[in-house]
Amino acid sequence: MPLFLTEEQTMLRDSARQFVGDTAPVAHLRGLRDAADPVGFSPTLWKQFAEMGFAAILIPEADGGLGLGHVEAGVVLEEIGRNLTPSPFLSTAVGAVTALRHAGQGLRSHWFGRIAQGEAVAALAIDESAKHRPEQIALTAVRAGNGFALSGTKRFVTHGHVADLIIVAARTEGQPGTRDGITLFALDKGAAGLSARPERLADASLAATLEFDRVELTADQVIGEVGQGWAVLSALLSATRTAASAELLGVGGGAMDMTTAYLKDRKQFGVPIGSFQALQHRAAHLYCEMEVARAAVLKAQQLLDAGDAGAERAALVAKAMTGLATTLAVQEGVQMHGGIGMTDEYDIGFFMKRARVLAEAFGDANWAADSLARMGGY
Amino acid sequence: MTDLDTFRAETRAWLEENCPPAMRQPIASEDDVVWGGRKAKLTPDQRLWLDRMAARGWTVPDWPVAYGGGGLSPEQTKILREEMARLKCRSPLQSFGISMLGPALLKYGNEAQKLRFLPEIARGEIRWCQGYSEPNAGSDLAGLQTWAEDRGDHFVVSGQKVWTSYADKADWIFCLVRTSREAKQGGISFLLFDMDSPGVSTKPILLISGYSPFCETFFDNVKVPKDQLVHQVNKGWDVAKYLLGHEREMISGMGLGGGGLGSGGPAALAEEAKRAAGVEADGRLADPLLRAQIALFEVRERAFRAMSERFIDELKHGRAHPAQPSMMKYYGTELNKARYELVMAAGGADALEWESEASHGGAKARAWLRTKANSIEGGTSEIQLNIVAKHILNLPGA
Ligand SMILES: Cc1cc2nc3c(=O)[nH]c(=O)nc-3n(C[C@H](O)[C@H](O)[C@H](O)COP(=O)(O)OP(=O)(O)OC[C@H]3O[C@@H](n4cnc5c(N)ncnc54)[C@H](O)[C@@H]3O)c2cc1C
C-alpha cells in the first residue's frame, strides 16, 4: 500500500476539513473557554459529528458502524487538531471503540449504537500519576459477588466528569510495575461510589480526577479476559497514541500555516519578515520536521489497520515524532509572531497550549523513545 | 495470492539462491563498495552478484528493459528493495550513472544516446563522474565559466572543475559548460565525454578523512563530438537541475545509513555502546544520557524511514512536489551526521582508531568525517532550506 491517502480518504479529508473548519474553528474553543463551559465541549456539535458518520468510523460494519480504519479516523482528528476543536472524538470514537472491539456481544450491542448516534461519550481512565506509566496501574478490582469492586484513583481523565462510558484499567492481580493481572472494564456513568473532580488544564480542556470507592461492576462489564487486559490495553493505547499523534499533526500544521501566513504578511524594515533568511531557514526546517512526523503517523495508522505486528512500535514513533515536531511548530509560531504572539487575543497561543496537553497525553516523546529502547533491548 | 504476492515470493526465492553469502555481510569499509567501470577490480563474489543482478535488469529495476532495466512497476521495485533489505543483500552496484545521469538521460537524452549509454550504466561498465562545481561556482552553480567553443561538428572545452568526486577513477564525465555568455542559466550546456580524451587531467584533493576521492579537473582544448551533447545547446540548466533532484534523492538515502557502514542502526549503536560503556543490572545500557540520545535518534530514524517510503511512493506516482528532494536531502543528511556522532560516542576509544586492523583502517572515524560532507555535497543544507522556503512555503524573495 502506498504511503499516501487514497482518493476516498482524500475526499473524507476534504469533507472533514470543511465541516470542522465551518462548525468549530478556533473561535469555538475561545467561546467555550470564555464561558468557562462546565462540560468542556459542545454536545450539540458532537451530535453533528455523529450525523456526519465520524463517530462510527472505527465501529465494525457488523456492529452497525462504517468499518473504516485508523487512517480515516486520523483524517478527522487532524482537522480537529487544526481547529483546536474540543471534542470527545479521540476518547470515544477511537479509544473506547478500540477497546470495545475486544469486548463480548453484550457490551458491543449496548455501546456501539449509542456511540455511532452521538448519544454516548466515553472517557479513558488509565493514568494514576502525573506522568503516563501504564504498567504502574494500582487501582484495584477485587472480586465482589458475581462481579468486582474498584477502589483507587485515576487522573488526567478527559471528559471523565461527563462521560456516559468510562473505560477503566484496573489491577485484579499482581503488583504495580507488572503487565499481568490488569483487567479492563466498561463502567457506566453515575455508578455508586464513583466521584469526579474536573480540573481545567492550560488549554481550557477539562480533565477529571476520578475517585473509586468500592465501585461495583458485574462480570459482563469486563472487556476481554480477566487478568489478561494488557493486550487490550496496549491495543487501545497504540490506537489512542496514534490518534493523539494525528491530532498533534493538525495542531502543528495549523500553527505552521498561521506562521507562514504571518511571515508573508508582517512587514518590518520595509519588507515582509519572511524575506529574512534567518526566519526562512527555521520555517523550512520546521516544514521538514512536520513532514517527517506526518509520514510516521500515516505509517502507524496503516500498520494498525493491517493488524501488523510492527504497529505498536510505529505508534510510539508517531507519538514521539509528532510531540517533537509540533512542540517546535508552536514554539516557532509564538516566537515568529513576536509580541502579538504573546497576546490572548491572538490565536497562536491556543495552539501552544493544546500541543503541550496532547504531547503529554498517553506518553510524551521521552517516554515513547524510552519504550522503543526497551523494546529494542537497550 | 495477488500477483504482487507471487512476485514477492519468487523474488525472495531468487535472491536466496543467487545472492552470495559474502554479499549479505555489512559493508566494512569504502573498499567494499562496487562502483564498476573500466578500472574496477572486483572480487569474484562482487562480480558474480553484479552480473546476476544486471542480467535481470535489477541493478536498475524500474528502467525499461530496452535500456538494460528490469521493467518493474513501482510496487514491484519496492518489493525488490524490501526483500533485498530483508536478506541484507548489498546493493550490487553504486553508481552516479544509475542515480544521477541515467534518470537525466531517460528524460532528456535522444534515442541514440539512450541506447548507447543506458545499458552500459546498468551493467556497471562505465564509471561516471560529475563535472558541475568550479572554484568560483559552488552554491552559485550557474556562475560556472568552463567554456565550450562550437566548432561545427564538435565542441572544444577549456576550463577547470573542482570537487569532482572520483575524477581520477572515472571513465567518463557529465559536465556543465558555458556555451553562451549572454545569459547566466540560459548559457549552459550539458556534455558527456571520455576522461581519456586528450586535454583532460586530474589532481587529487586530500580530505579530512585521509581519503582523496576528489579532484581538481582541468580541461585544455578537449574535443567533444556534438552527438555527446544532451538536450539542446544553452538548455543544459534544465538537465542539470533535473539531475540535481536525483542526486539529492540519492544523498537523502544516507539518512537511513545507505552509502555508509552498516553499523549505524539504533540496535547496533546500542550494542556497541553496551560493549564500550557496560550494562546495568536490568540489562540497560549503563550510560543513561547516551541511551536517551540513541533512543531519540531511533525515533527520528524510524520516522524518516517512513518519510522515505512516502517520498518514493509519491515520486513514483507523480505526486511529489518538485522541491521535495531538497527536503529529503536536508533531513536525511543532517540525520546521517547525527548518526555518525552517535557511532563515535557509542564506540568511545575504539571508534577513534585510525589505522589498526581491528578498526578496518579507522573505518568508523573516517566514515564519521566523511558524513560531514553530506550537508555540503549536492547543494548545501542552507541551499536546500532556501529552496524549501521559496518553492514549497512560497516565502518572499530575500
Ligand atoms: C564530498 C563532496 C563531494 C562532492 N562531489 C562533487 C562532484 O562530484 N562534482 C561536483 O561538481 N561537485 C562536487 N562537490 C561540490 C559541492 O557541490 C559544493 O561543495 C557545494 O555545492 C558547495 O559549494 P562550495 O563548496 O563552493 O561552498 P560555497 O558555495 O562557497 O558555500 C560556503 C558556505 O556558504 C553557504 N552559502 C552559500 N550561498 C548561500 C546562500 N545563498 N544562502 C545561505 N548560505 C549560503 C553555504 O551553505 C556554505 O555553508 C562535492 C563536495 C563535497 C564536499
Side-chain angles (χ1 to χ4, degrees):
Chain A
M1 194 182 335
L3 208 55
F4 49 73
L5 297 184
T6 63
E7 224 165 274
E8 293 79 34
Q9 289 161 349
T10 308
M11 278 161 59
L12 175 66
R13 186 199 57 198
D14 293 345
S15 71
R17 181 161 293 179
Q18 173 134 30
F19 170 76
V20 184
D22 287 352
T23 53
V26 183
H28 173 75
L29 163 67
R30 187 181 282 280
L32 290 174
R33 198 253 341 229
D34 290 348
D37 183 89
V39 175
F41 64 91
S42 156
T44 320
L45 180 70
W46 180 236
K47 263 290 202 190
Q48 288 175 278
F49 260 76
E51 282 157 20
M52 292 290 290
F54 296 157
I57 283 178
L58 278 170
I59 298 174
E61 276 180 291
D63 295 288
L66 297 182
L68 296 170
H70 292 276
V71 178
E72 287 81 4
V75 156
V76 175
L77 277 156
E78 188 176 342
E79 300 313 317
I80 288 175
R82 187 178 299 279
N83 293 284
L84 307 181
T85 311
S87 169
F89 185 92
L90 192 153
S91 57
T92 308
V94 179
V97 167
T98 300
L100 290 168
R101 277 159 63 163
H102 294 84
Q105 200 47 54
L107 284 177
R108 297 165 81 104
S109 29
H110 184 65
W111 289 113
F112 276 149
R114 298 173 63 199
I115 289 175
Q117 299 302 314
E119 281 159 11
V121 161
L124 309 173
I126 297 161
D127 290 336
E128 299 179 11
S129 60
K131 299 296 281 187
H132 178 68
R133 294 288 180 270
E135 289 168 27
Q136 295 298 333
I137 285 166
L139 183 135
T140 55
V142 294
R143 298 259 178 197
N146 82 333
F148 294 86
L150 305 185
S151 298
T153 306
K154 291 288 183 184
R155 294 196 55 191
F156 203 32
V157 184
T158 310
H159 315 307
H161 63 304
V162 289
D164 306 277
L165 161 67
I166 303 171
I167 306 290
V168 189
R171 190 167 284 286
T172 35
E173 280 162 71
Q175 293 302 311
T178 57
R179 293 175 172 188
D180 289 340
I182 288 174
T183 304
L184 254 60
F185 297 94
L187 183 65
D188 290 65
K189 181 184 197 154
L194 174 66
S195 59
R197 195 176 62 247
E199 297 286 355
R200 200 167 294 282
L201 303 184
D203 67 341
S205 70
L206 289 162
T209 298
L210 300 183
E211 299 287 355
F212 293 78
D213 181 13
R214 294 198 51 81
V215 176
E216 299 207 352
L217 289 150
T218 61
D220 31 332
Q221 285 172 283
V222 172
I223 299 173
E225 301 285 311
V226 173
Q228 306 295 308
W230 183 261
V232 185
L233 180 60
S234 58
L236 178 161
L237 285 173
S238 285
T240 308
R241 280 181 200 126
T242 303
S245 305
E247 191 172 340
L248 272 165
L249 212 53
V251 174
M256 189 180 93
D257 289 352
M258 267 187 90
T259 306
T260 32
Y262 194 71
L263 290 178
K264 292 172 196 173
D265 210 46
R266 170 73 172 168
K267 285 206 168 99
Q268 290 289 283
F269 304 98
V271 292
I273 56 172
S275 65
F276 300 132
Q277 200 181 50
L279 301 191
Q280 288 189 345
H281 281 193
R282 281 159 53 186
H285 171 75
L286 169 59
Y287 165 81
C288 297
E289 295 284 359
M290 289 301 303
E291 285 297 284
V292 171
R294 172 176 301 284
V297 173
L298 189 53
K299 188 73 197 175
Q301 291 164 342
Q302 287 190 354
L303 292 179
L304 279 172
D305 287 336
D308 190 287
E312 187 179 356
R313 260 192 163 118
L316 292 167
V317 172
K319 188 66 183 28
M321 192 64 218
T322 50
L324 297 171
T326 295
T327 299
L328 182 70
V330 296
Q331 289 174 350
E332 289 288 49
V334 170
Q335 178 65 21
M336 292 194 200
H337 274 82
I340 202 173
M342 291 300 294
T343 63
D344 183 74
E345 190 189 337
Y346 210 76
D347 285 342
I348 191 74
F350 280 67
F351 284 81
M352 179 170 276
K353 295 184 230 183
R354 172 74 104 241
R356 183 62 249 172
V357 171
L358 281 170
E360 195 63 42
F362 310 106
D364 67 5
N366 290 336
W367 180 85
D370 180 73
S371 301
L372 274 180
R374 286 166 191 268
M375 288 176 86
Y378 65 97
Chain B
M1 278 230 286
T2 67
D3 289 354
L4 286 179
D5 292 335
T6 313
F7 177 78
R8 187 184 291 278
E10 288 172 2
T11 300
R12 187 177 297 182
W14 187 87
L15 291 170
E16 296 263 20
E17 189 168 328
N18 287 283
C19 183
M23 295 294 101
R24 301 186 202 180
Q25 300 298 319
I27 302 230
S29 78
E30 284 234 1
D31 304 336
D32 267 2
V33 180
V34 174
W35 289 90
R38 299 195 287 242
K39 300 165 198 155
K41 291 191 191 65
L42 306 191
T43 67
D45 280 332
Q46 289 174 332
R47 180 87 260 164
L48 193 66
W49 180 223
L50 173 57
D51 287 347
R52 282 177 177 170
M53 286 291 276
R56 307 204 103 193
W58 281 7
T59 53
V60 282
D62 55 355
W63 289 10
V65 177
Y67 305 137
L72 301 190
S73 68
E75 290 74 22
Q76 290 172 322
T77 305
K78 190 167 169 178
I79 288 172
L80 172 61
R81 299 216 190 294
E82 284 167 3
E83 291 304 316
M84 285 178 68
R86 219 181 58 84
L87 291 177
K88 303 196 164 64
C89 304
R90 284 187 195 171
S91 159
L93 180 63
Q94 176 97 5
S95 137
F96 291 177
I98 291 176
S99 50
M100 297 196 241
L101 179 61
L105 281 179
L106 280 167
K107 184 166 168 78
Y108 288 102
N110 60 40
E111 190 59 22
Q113 289 170 338
K114 290 181 192 174
L115 288 170
R116 176 176 171 195
F117 295 113
L118 292 174
E120 64 185 24
I121 288 174
R123 293 191 300 264
E125 289 164 355
I126 299 290
R127 183 168 180 176
W128 290 86
C129 65
Q130 177 186 31
Y132 272 33
S133 305
E134 298 183 9
N136 290 313
S139 298
D140 184 16
L141 179 61
L144 59 93
Q145 294 303 329
T146 292
W147 180 249
E149 178 91 35
D150 190 337
R151 297 273 178 85
D153 69 335
H154 67 274
F155 295 99
V156 172
V157 178
S158 292
Q160 187 199 335
K161 294 287 170 181
V162 71
W163 304 124
T164 334
S165 302
Y166 307 110
D168 51 345
K169 300 197 174 71
D171 307 305
W172 276 59
I173 187 166
F174 48 91
C175 192
L176 296 181
V177 296
R178 184 156 294 291
T179 36
S180 162
R181 296 197 173 92
E182 308 280 291
K184 193 175 176 187
Q185 296 178 354
I188 293 171
S189 299
F190 192 100
L191 294 183
L192 313 176
F193 54 92
D194 197 319
M195 291 292 279
D196 286 343
S197 311
V200 178
S201 59
T202 62
K203 191 166 147 235
I205 308 173
L206 190 65
L207 291 193
I208 51 177
S209 61
Y211 288 126
S212 59
F214 294 111
C215 296
E216 294 179 277
T217 306
F218 303 91
F219 308 128
D220 179 16
N221 289 312
V222 181
K223 187 175 167 188
V224 180
K226 274 265 173 79
D227 63 357
Q228 290 166 207
L229 168 80
V230 178
H231 201 37
Q232 293 161 26
V233 175
N234 293 332
K235 290 269 173 69
W237 189 246
D238 297 340
V239 189
K241 272 197 314 185
Y242 185 76
L243 186 145
L244 271 177
H246 284 271
E247 178 176 10
R248 287 166 186 167
E249 186 188 327
M250 169 199 62
I251 298 175
S252 81
M254 294 188 173
L256 303 174
L261 305 179
S263 59
L269 282 170
E271 272 312 301
E272 188 65 28
K274 280 183 177 179
R275 261 197 296 280
V279 183
E280 302 277 13
D282 63 358
R284 292 210 261 165
L285 170 58
D287 180 338
L289 293 183
L290 179 57
R291 178 179 181 276
Q293 287 175 348
I294 296 174
L296 284 166
F297 172 77
E298 179 169 355
V299 168
R300 287 187 190 280
E301 199 220 42
R302 286 178 181 272
F304 186 69
R305 201 172 282 285
M307 182 67 218
S308 300
E309 184 182 337
R310 173 186 156 200
F311 172 62
I312 300 290
D313 287 345
E314 289 186 337
L315 206 63
K316 301 295 179 208
H317 289 84
R319 289 162 156 254
H321 189 287
Q324 198 72 349
S326 288
M327 175 266 161
M328 294 298 294
K329 200 263 175 189
Y330 167 69
Y331 207 90
T333 57
E334 296 295 336
L335 192 65
N336 203 39
K337 290 199 295 182
R339 172 199 311 280
Y340 275 87
E341 286 300 327
L342 287 173
V343 165
M344 297 306 283
D350 286 343
L352 287 165
E353 287 184 12
W354 192 248
E355 291 175 332
S356 71
E357 209 174 305
S359 70
H360 295 277
K364 279 187 180 160
R366 292 171 199 271
W368 159 66
L369 289 163
R370 174 64 181 83
T371 61
K372 298 306 176 194
N374 293 168
S375 49
I376 298 171
E377 61 199 319
T380 65
S381 281
E382 289 75 23
I383 294 297
Q384 308 310 326
L385 291 173
N386 286 349
I387 292 172
V388 169
K390 186 165 168 207
H391 296 290
I392 298 183
L393 300 178
N394 299 314
L395 292 176

